[in-house]
Amino acid sequence: MTRSLQAQHYTWLVFSCFLLFPFGRSVELPLLFMTIGGGVLAYRAGRAFFQEPGIRFFTLLFACIWIPILISFPDSYDLKKSGGTSLSFIRLYLAGLFVIWALSKPNQVALLFKLMAGLAAFWVVDALFQAAAGHDFLGFALSPTRLNGVFGEGQPKLGNAMPVLAPFIMLALRSKPVLMLLATAMAGAVVVLAGSRGGWVSLGLVCAWLLFSETRRRGVPLWKMGAVAAVVGIVGTFAAFENPAAKQRLDQTLLLFSGDEAKIDQALSLRWTLWKDAFAMIEAHPVNGVGVRAFRYAYPEFAQPGDIFVSTDEKSGRLTGAFYAHQMVVEVTSETGLIGLLGLGLFYALLVRYWRAADAERRLLALPFAMAVMAWIFPLNTHPSFYTAQWSVMIWLLLAMLCAALLPLQKTPDAFRTAPRT
């Protein structure tokens, strides 16, 4: 009984990172405890720990991203920023080791799944209440242009974060198809009203995977499930687009088909301007890029005259530009070069390989975590920064959860805590 309660405490610690995620840097407190725990585990268990398939999988994924970060450092446009990022990523790796260890205890993946589903449900209900009442349950006022929910005023992150949590509530209700469709429609309304078009794509991908998974599991023809999902989606989307801000975002998006470069740039919220300058950075620094998190300091050198993103930093007096490229593949390539692009390609290949190699039972258990990861890292979508502190915490914890669900530790987890170092 004591061990069971202790295991639940560790799972609650992991969950607390997502509970605190909307509240800025507060997530760093539980992450600190997990980082220390991962470091202790790595030291005490030694080689045996790193021979575990789940740990090896997570280590390979991390190496694909972290090694190019290190290699980008010598030529960075801001050594302090790049050096600090490379060091701060170590805490994500150690915390990930702790997550895999903690979730390998009996029933802890299932417990975390329920907790994440409950949190997703709260986010959805809270956001819809805010849309109706003008403020959410925590008292945060509705933004004039975007639904912001638990993230608070001036923090338009709900649209990117909600698709990551949505798979948990959808799959929690998979035994009740009507409720699952209702939850999907409600989550979709929140994402549309939150106004992030990258979030629209992410949720669409989640829904497509869910549809494919459910048709195979239930033996129902794809067209029947697709027709029902389409009706629910169309009704929910039209209802959401009655909101003027959401409709304005849709109208802006339709400019993509205008054939005019200026209007396409407007449709992309000036991302085409960012990408052209990022491509110039890649051409000038093809091997190891301009340095992780140094994009804004390299930007003025490659910007066109009159670029609206170029400004003078008030503290340093230095010319700076946009913070990042708003597209993960472009961001990784511009900041870490072709070495980083190769690492990212290996990262995706490893995810596909290990997923396909897992048996059906493990994939079923890992499905919500895999869908959450896919919602964030789909390479053809627009993205928040891959390297920034808050979002990198989310993605690396999700990757660790995926590793834990797909490849649980073969040894008893408690053995690693007491084992002599080898």
Side-chain angles (χ1 to χ4, degrees):
M1 181 66 176
T2 302
R3 287 187 176 183
S4 177
L5 288 174
Q6 191 177 49
Q8 291 185 22
H9 291 160
Y10 295 137
T11 304
W12 274 92
L13 179 61
V14 174
F15 171 67
S16 68
C17 290
F18 288 85
L19 191 65
L20 295 174
F21 181 77
F23 309 112
R25 305 294 289 182
S26 60
V27 70
E28 293 292 342
L29 181 58
L31 189 70
L32 173 62
F33 292 127
M34 291 161 58
T35 300
I36 294 171
V40 171
L41 282 168
Y43 176 78
R44 292 293 300 274
R47 185 182 302 173
F49 188 55
F50 291 94
Q51 289 174 343
E52 290 285 337
I55 299 296
R56 186 165 59 245
F57 180 26
F58 184 70
T59 301
L60 288 172
L61 290 174
F62 185 80
C64 287
I65 303 302
W66 190 58
I67 290 174
I69 289 176
L70 289 179
I71 296 174
S72 78
F73 171 73
D75 297 322
S76 173
Y77 275 67
D78 192 290
L79 294 173
K80 182 178 178 181
K81 200 74 174 177
S82 297
T85 301
S86 64
L87 291 175
S88 71
F89 260 60
I90 296 173
R91 83 197 196 287
L92 302 178
Y93 176 67
L94 295 176
L97 298 183
F98 177 87
V99 169
I100 296 171
W101 173 80
L103 296 184
S104 291
K105 294 174 178 288
N107 303 320
Q108 294 314 299
V109 171
L111 173 60
L112 181 62
F113 168 68
K114 292 178 182 177
L115 292 172
M116 296 286 278
L119 182 61
F122 176 79
W123 280 18
V124 168
V125 174
D126 177 80
L128 292 177
F129 179 83
Q130 185 187 58
H135 60 83
D136 79 332
F137 296 141
L138 303 181
F140 294 133
L142 175 65
S143 167
T145 56
R146 296 191 185 192
L147 199 62
N148 46 290
V150 293
F151 286 84
E153 299 162 37
Q155 295 293 330
K157 298 177 181 178
L158 180 63
N160 291 114
M162 189 69 246
V164 174
L165 259 64
F168 295 96
I169 186 173
M170 293 174 181
L171 291 172
L173 297 169
R174 69 188 315 183
S175 62
K176 301 174 181 178
V178 174
L179 291 181
M180 183 175 67
L181 286 171
L182 179 61
T184 302
M186 292 172 68
V190 169
V191 173
V192 170
L193 293 174
S196 170
R197 289 170 295 173
W200 300 353
V201 174
S202 294
L203 189 68
L205 292 167
V206 168
C207 291
W209 192 349
L210 179 66
L211 180 65
F212 178 74
S213 174
E214 287 301 290
T215 52
R216 292 190 63 183
R217 189 174 76 92
R218 298 174 186 273
V220 178
L222 182 62
W223 72 266
K224 288 186 178 180
M225 289 284 286
V228 174
V231 169
V232 173
I234 290 171
V235 171
T237 300
F238 271 104
F241 279 125
E242 287 299 310
N243 178 276
K247 186 177 184 303
Q248 186 273 330
R249 298 287 287 176
L250 176 63
D251 292 340
Q252 182 182 354
T253 304
L254 293 176
L255 292 175
L256 280 170
F257 306 102
S258 66
D260 181 87
E261 183 175 346
K263 290 183 178 180
I264 291 173
D265 196 23
Q266 181 185 348
L268 293 169
S269 299
L270 303 182
R271 285 185 174 88
W272 181 241
T273 295
L274 295 179
W275 296 341
K276 287 192 296 184
D277 294 335
F279 295 147
M281 293 182 199
I282 295 168
E283 185 177 1
H285 301 274
V287 179
N288 63 342
V290 299
V292 167
R293 302 296 304 278
F295 185 89
R296 67 178 304 216
Y297 301 106
Y299 191 93
E301 182 178 323
F302 301 94
Q304 299 297 312
D307 191 306
I308 67 168
F309 292 107
V310 176
S311 61
T312 302
D313 185 77
E314 294 181 0
K315 292 183 179 179
S316 65
R318 183 178 177 182
L319 278 180
T320 59
F323 280 86
Y324 61 99
H326 287 265
Q327 209 287 326
M328 191 167 75
V329 176
V330 178
E331 179 186 16
V332 168
T333 310
S334 60
E335 296 188 19
T336 60
L338 295 178
I339 294 174
L341 183 61
L342 175 62
L344 186 64
L346 290 173
F347 173 88
Y348 286 121
L350 284 167
L351 283 171
V352 173
R353 177 190 172 189
Y354 274 83
W355 177 260
R356 295 183 66 181
D359 60 46
E361 182 181 354
R362 299 315 306 183
R363 281 191 297 204
L364 182 62
L365 186 65
L367 183 59
F369 304 100
M371 292 172 71
V373 167
M374 185 273 298
W376 207 95
I377 66 168
F378 181 69
L380 302 182
N381 199 6
T382 56
H383 295 79
S385 176
F386 187 52
Y387 300 115
T388 194
Q390 189 176 23
W391 291 109
S392 58
V393 168
M394 172 182 276
I395 188 57
W396 285 105
L397 289 182
L398 285 169
L399 286 166
M401 294 172 187
L402 174 60
C403 293
L406 207 58
L407 296 165
L409 299 184
Q410 296 175 349
K411 291 185 178 181
T412 304
D414 286 328
F416 291 110
R417 191 174 56 183
T418 57
R421 188 172 184 271
T422 57

